[in-house]
Amino acid sequence: MRDNLQSDKSFTWITSGSYGEGLEMRGSDLDIMQVRKSIQVNADKQPDFNPSITYLSMDTDDVKPGFTQLRLEYSRDQYDLECCEEHNGKHYFSSALWKGNVLLFGDKGRQIQGPCITDKTGVLDFAFSLHCKTWTPSAVNWITRSSNSWPCHNVTQSIINHGVIFVPIGVHGSPKEDLEWRVSFSVAEKFLINTFTHTQLMCYALLKIILKDVIANDSECKDLLCSYFLETIIFWISEELPSFVWKPNNMITCFMRCFGRLVYCVEYSVCLHYFIPENNLFENKIEGRARDVLLQKLYTLHSYGRRCILFSDQISNFDVSMWNFPIKPFTLYVNDVEKILQSKILFANSSLESFSEIDLFNTGIIQNISCHQFSLTHLYAYFISPTSSKQAQRVPFTGATINNKYQYKQYKSCLSTLLTNVYHDVVSGWLMIASLFYKTKQYRKALHIIRYSISKCTSDKLFFRLTLSDIHYQSFKLLPFNKKSVAYLLKILYVDFIQFQVNSTLTPDELVMEGRKQQYSIPFTAYVYFLSVLCHYHLNNVRRCQDSIQDLKLVIGEIYLMPYLKCIAEAYKLLGIALQLFGDKESARQAFLQSLAISPHEIIIQFCRKETFVIL
C-alpha cells in the first residue's frame, strides 16, 4: 500500500528486501527501489516511439551473466545525457554516473553503498533503478524449467509479464564496471515468496536468524553470506520438492535440508542464481581462508541438528522439542500489535518527505475508491489520514476573515479534509479541527471538541516505538479487541503528535515563530490544555483559564502520555506561553528555563504579542 501511494508519474516505488518479503527481522533496513518511468529499456523490439522517453537497449556482449550494459538509443533529456559515456563509438548509460548524479542532487548526508543510496540515518536504502517490460533473454530458460514444477503457471506468467529491473552496479573489478548494470529480479522474487507456505517461510526466517545472530558474529565470516544467497537456496529446493512436503510436521526436516544445502554450496563455492544459473553468486566471494573459517562454523552448527537455532539469542529460550505448545490467542494478537508499533514500514515518514501532500492525498483517495476488498480500504484510509492533516494545513484561507464565498469555500474544504484526519488518531485528529475553530474565532465549538479529546486521553494509548505495558496486555485480552483489525485498533488507541507544518494556516498565532523552517511537533496531552487556555482567554473566562493552566501543569508534572524528553520540553514551552499570556511573567520565565534545561538547543523563545525572551 505504501508503494502504491508513493508511486507517481515519475517513479514507481517497490519495497524490497526483508520488508518486501514480509519478514521484518531484527536489524533489517528498509530497502526501496525507485524505478524511473521516463527511461525505458528494451530487450528486443522497439516500442511505439515517445519523444519524452529516453530509450536504452541491452548489450550483453563480453558481460558476465546476470549483468548488462545499457546502450543509449534516444534521449533529449539533458540529465540523462550527462549520465552517458562513449565507448567504441557508442554511448552507454553509466551506472556510476547515474548514482553520482542522484547523490549530487539529493539530500546532504547520503552516501553510495553498493547499488543503493543510503540516507543519513542509515535506515533507508534507495536503489534508483530502470525497468524493462519484457523478459530478459538471459533468463529465458527459466520459463520452461519452472513450468515443470513450482511455481504454478499463473505466477510464472505474472513474473514474465512484469519483466525485469536494472540496478546501478557492475561486476567488481570488471574493466567496464562503471558501465554495467545488474539484472534484478526483485519483483519476481516477491511473487515467488508470496507463494510460500508457512513452513517455507519459517525455514527461510530460521536461516536468516542463524546468519544474522550466529554466523555474522564472527568477524571473518561477517560479510561472506547475505540473505539473498539463502533466498536463492530456498527457491531451488522449492522447485525440487513437491508442495505436499512443505507441511508443519515436516518443518524440521525441511529446515535441515535447506541448511545442508547451504553447507554444500559453501563447501564447493557454488550457489547458482535461480533465474540465471550461469551466474555463480559465490564466484570470487567465498574462497580462501575466510571460506575455510565459514565452512568450519557451518559444519559445527550443522552437527547440532535442529538445536543449532538455539545459538541465536532471539530463540535461545525456546524449547524446539515443543513445536505444538499451546498459545493463547490474545498473546499472538499483542505480539502483532507490538511489532507494528516498532515497525519501520508503517512509520518511515522520512521516505515520504519528497512527496507533495496533495499528490499523496489524491492518490490515496483513488486507491481507496478503486479497491474492492473491504479490509484493504481500511488500511488505505489509515494511510490517507495523516496525509490529510498536512494537506489541510496548506489550504489558503486567512483565519478569521471568512466574509466571502471564496473564504467560506476554503474553510469548508479545510474542515472536510481534517475530518479524514481522525481516521488514524482520534485525539490529534479532533484537536486539529479544534485548532481550525480556534483560528476562525469559533471558541465555543473548539472547547466542545477539546472536552471530547480530553475524554479520549486515557492511559491505554499506544505510541510509535512504545513497549507495551501490563495495562495494554490486559486490554488486549478482551474479546472485542481480538476481533478488530489492526487498522481499527490503531485508529482508536494510537496517538500521534500534534504536527504543524511550516507556514501552516492552522497554527495558533501564539505559536507562530519567525524564521521557523521545520514542522512543529507538540505532545497532544499538553496541547489539549494549552488550546483550552487560549479559548477561555479570548472568551474572558478567567477562572476556567486558570483551571486549564493548572491542568497543563498537572500533565507535565506526571509526564502523562509524553514518551520522549523532547515532549516534556515542548510542554514546558506551551506552559510558558500560557503563563505569559495570563500575565505571570516570572512563572513563564521559569517554565522556559525548565524547557531549556531539558532541550538546550533552543535559545530563543517567542510568544504572543511579539514579546520575546532571550535565554542565555
Side-chain angles (χ1 to χ4, degrees):
M1 290 189 174
R2 291 182 72 248
D3 290 348
N4 289 342
L5 291 176
Q6 289 172 316
S7 298
D8 56 18
K9 295 179 180 179
S10 301
F11 288 96
T12 297
W13 284 56
I14 302 171
T15 302
S16 58
S18 296
Y19 289 89
E21 298 164 352
L23 287 172
E24 183 175 351
M25 311 295 286
R26 184 172 67 181
S28 296
D29 292 332
L30 183 55
D31 299 313
I32 304 290
M33 302 183 79
Q34 285 185 280
V35 182
R36 173 89 171 270
K37 291 184 177 180
S38 61
I39 301 179
Q40 188 169 321
V41 182
N42 303 306
D44 41 36
K45 62 180 181 180
Q46 294 294 327
D48 295 335
F49 181 74
N50 184 339
S52 63
I53 299 292
T54 293
Y55 291 99
L56 307 173
S57 62
M58 295 177 61
D59 185 347
T60 57
D61 292 341
D62 299 323
V63 179
K64 181 181 176 180
F67 292 82
T68 186
Q69 295 179 91
L70 300 178
R71 186 171 61 245
L72 178 66
E73 300 293 342
Y74 167 84
S75 178
R76 66 178 187 182
D77 188 300
Q78 185 60 36
Y79 180 88
D80 293 343
L81 292 173
E82 290 176 357
C83 293
C84 293
E85 285 187 13
E86 185 177 356
H87 183 72
N88 292 336
K90 299 177 182 179
H91 289 84
Y92 292 90
F93 210 61
S94 169
S95 57
L97 291 177
W98 170 258
K99 286 184 292 187
N101 284 347
V102 170
L103 196 64
L104 181 64
F105 294 103
D107 297 332
K108 292 182 179 179
R110 289 185 173 190
Q111 58 183 359
I112 296 175
Q113 186 173 0
C116 299
I117 305 293
T118 302
D119 75 331
K120 56 187 177 183
T121 65
V123 173
L124 295 171
D125 290 336
F126 294 93
F128 293 85
S129 314
L130 307 177
H131 183 216
C132 178
K133 296 181 180 179
T134 55
W135 192 244
T136 176
S138 59
V140 69
N141 290 334
W142 173 82
I143 300 174
T144 55
R145 191 188 79 223
S146 63
S147 65
N148 297 324
S149 55
W150 175 88
C152 68
H153 175 74
N154 290 339
V155 173
T156 301
Q157 286 303 310
S158 297
I159 290 173
I160 296 169
N161 292 338
H162 175 269
V164 295
I165 294 173
F166 302 94
V167 293
I169 189 169
V171 179
H172 181 66
S174 167
K176 297 179 288 186
E177 179 180 353
D178 290 348
L179 298 180
E180 295 172 346
W181 294 69
R182 187 173 70 203
V183 184
S184 171
F185 297 88
S186 180
V187 174
E189 289 151 5
K190 288 176 70 173
F191 273 116
L192 294 178
I193 289 177
N194 284 337
T195 71
F196 276 5
T197 65
H198 185 256
T199 301
Q200 285 171 294
L201 203 61
M202 282 290 290
C203 290
Y204 182 31
L206 288 173
L207 285 177
K208 293 185 73 165
I209 287 173
I210 287 180
L211 171 62
K212 300 290 185 181
D213 293 356
V214 184
I215 299 174
N217 282 339
D218 191 317
S219 59
E220 293 187 85
C221 303
K222 183 177 181 180
D223 299 321
L224 291 182
L225 295 178
C226 66
S227 296
Y228 189 71
F229 299 156
L230 307 180
E231 178 186 87
T232 301
I233 289 171
I234 295 284
F235 286 160
W236 278 112
I237 297 179
S238 297
E239 185 177 302
E240 296 167 6
L241 295 179
S243 58
F244 66 80
V245 174
W246 298 98
K247 300 297 182 182
N249 58 339
N250 289 332
M251 187 166 71
I252 293 295
T253 303
C254 292
F255 167 69
M256 291 308 300
R257 182 175 186 133
C258 296
F259 196 177
R261 180 66 60 87
L262 173 62
V263 175
Y264 175 88
C265 290
V266 173
E267 187 175 13
Y268 292 95
S269 297
V270 173
C271 182
L272 303 182
H273 192 283
Y274 178 67
F275 291 96
I276 307 176
E278 295 80 11
N279 180 10
N280 179 11
L281 300 176
F282 282 3
E283 185 179 348
N284 299 324
K285 294 180 181 178
I286 312 294
E287 56 186 7
R289 169 174 165 73
R291 170 190 164 278
D292 295 337
V293 173
L294 173 61
L295 190 57
Q296 188 57 49
K297 196 173 191 69
L298 290 175
Y299 282 151
T300 303
L301 288 171
H302 192 266
S303 68
Y304 283 88
R306 65 183 184 181
R307 300 187 66 83
C308 67
I309 64 174
L310 297 181
F311 284 96
S312 166
D313 62 343
Q314 292 190 64
I315 47 181
S316 57
N317 296 322
F318 179 67
D319 187 352
V320 294
S321 65
M322 299 174 60
W323 291 102
N324 296 316
F325 66 97
I327 301 176
K328 296 180 180 179
F330 85 89
T331 304
L332 293 178
Y333 186 72
V334 172
N335 290 342
D336 287 342
V337 173
E338 190 162 26
K339 186 167 185 177
I340 285 176
L341 289 175
Q342 302 293 332
S343 174
K344 301 170 188 173
I345 195 74
L346 194 59
F347 297 94
N349 293 329
S350 58
S351 65
L352 293 168
E353 291 177 354
S354 60
F355 290 82
S356 69
E357 288 83 19
I358 186 143
D359 286 342
L360 283 171
F361 184 73
N362 291 342
T363 302
I365 293 294
I366 293 170
Q367 293 285 356
N368 185 274
I369 293 173
S370 60
C371 180
H372 300 295
Q373 193 170 340
F374 184 71
S375 60
L376 298 185
T377 59
H378 278 288
L379 283 175
Y380 273 121
Y382 181 86
F383 275 109
I384 296 169
S385 180
T387 305
S388 64
S389 173
K390 297 179 182 180
Q391 170 66 6
Q393 294 181 55
R394 298 287 183 261
V395 176
F397 76 95
T398 55
T401 58
I402 306 176
N403 52 15
N404 56 54
K405 289 183 178 180
Y406 173 76
Q407 286 294 331
Y408 181 73
K409 181 179 179 181
Q410 296 298 92
Y411 164 76
K412 295 294 286 186
S413 174
C414 183
L415 178 59
S416 62
T417 305
L418 284 176
L419 285 169
T420 310
N421 184 43
V422 303
Y423 202 94
H424 86 292
D425 170 14
V426 292
V427 178
S428 67
W430 284 109
L431 283 177
M432 291 303 292
I433 296 176
S435 295
L436 172 63
F437 288 147
Y438 175 75
K439 287 285 286 187
T440 54
K441 297 187 178 181
Q442 302 177 76
Y443 304 125
R444 298 188 188 280
K445 284 186 179 180
L447 285 170
H448 181 74
I449 293 178
I450 287 170
R451 285 192 291 271
Y452 175 75
S453 298
I454 290 174
S455 71
K456 298 296 181 181
C457 295
T458 54
S459 58
D460 60 349
K461 294 300 182 183
L462 304 172
F463 298 94
F464 179 42
R465 299 298 187 196
L466 173 73
T467 300
L468 299 185
S469 65
D470 290 338
I471 295 176
H472 298 111
Y473 277 86
Q474 295 302 319
S475 298
F476 294 147
K477 285 184 180 180
L478 302 176
L479 190 61
F481 278 129
N482 276 249
K483 291 187 175 182
K484 299 298 183 182
S485 68
V486 172
Y488 178 83
L489 182 72
L490 290 175
K491 174 186 175 181
I492 61 174
L493 287 184
Y494 177 76
V495 286
D496 204 352
F497 293 102
I498 305 298
Q499 294 189 345
F500 291 113
Q501 304 299 303
V502 179
N503 300 322
S504 167
T505 55
L506 299 181
T507 307
D509 293 339
E510 293 80 2
L511 290 179
V512 174
M513 296 183 64
E514 295 179 5
R516 178 179 287 276
K517 296 182 180 180
Q518 295 179 334
Q519 68 178 15
Y520 196 21
S521 297
I522 310 172
F524 70 95
T525 47
Y527 183 71
V528 67
Y529 290 110
F530 172 74
L531 193 59
S532 178
V533 171
L534 297 184
C535 290
H536 286 305
Y537 175 82
H538 288 287
L539 289 172
N540 294 317
N541 296 331
V542 178
R543 179 64 180 272
R544 292 188 176 181
C545 189
Q546 289 177 320
D547 291 342
S548 295
I549 290 177
Q550 291 304 314
D551 290 334
L552 178 55
K553 289 180 179 179
L554 183 62
V555 295
I556 295 174
E558 294 184 355
I559 316 178
Y560 188 61
L561 298 178
M562 298 181 191
Y564 314 114
L565 283 176
K566 186 170 177 59
C567 296
I568 305 172
E570 293 294 338
Y572 271 112
K573 286 183 189 178
L574 296 184
L575 177 60
I577 295 172
L579 291 169
Q580 170 69 14
L581 189 69
F582 202 67
D584 190 350
K585 293 186 177 181
E586 181 55 35
S587 295
R589 180 178 177 83
Q590 292 303 316
F592 288 129
L593 285 170
Q594 189 68 34
S595 174
L596 183 62
I598 298 171
S599 184
H601 64 279
E602 295 282 356
I603 62 170
I604 299 180
I605 301 177
Q606 175 180 345
F607 29 81
C608 60
R609 296 181 180 176
K610 305 299 181 182
E611 298 180 50
T612 305
F613 276 144
V614 179
I615 302 177
L616 302 178

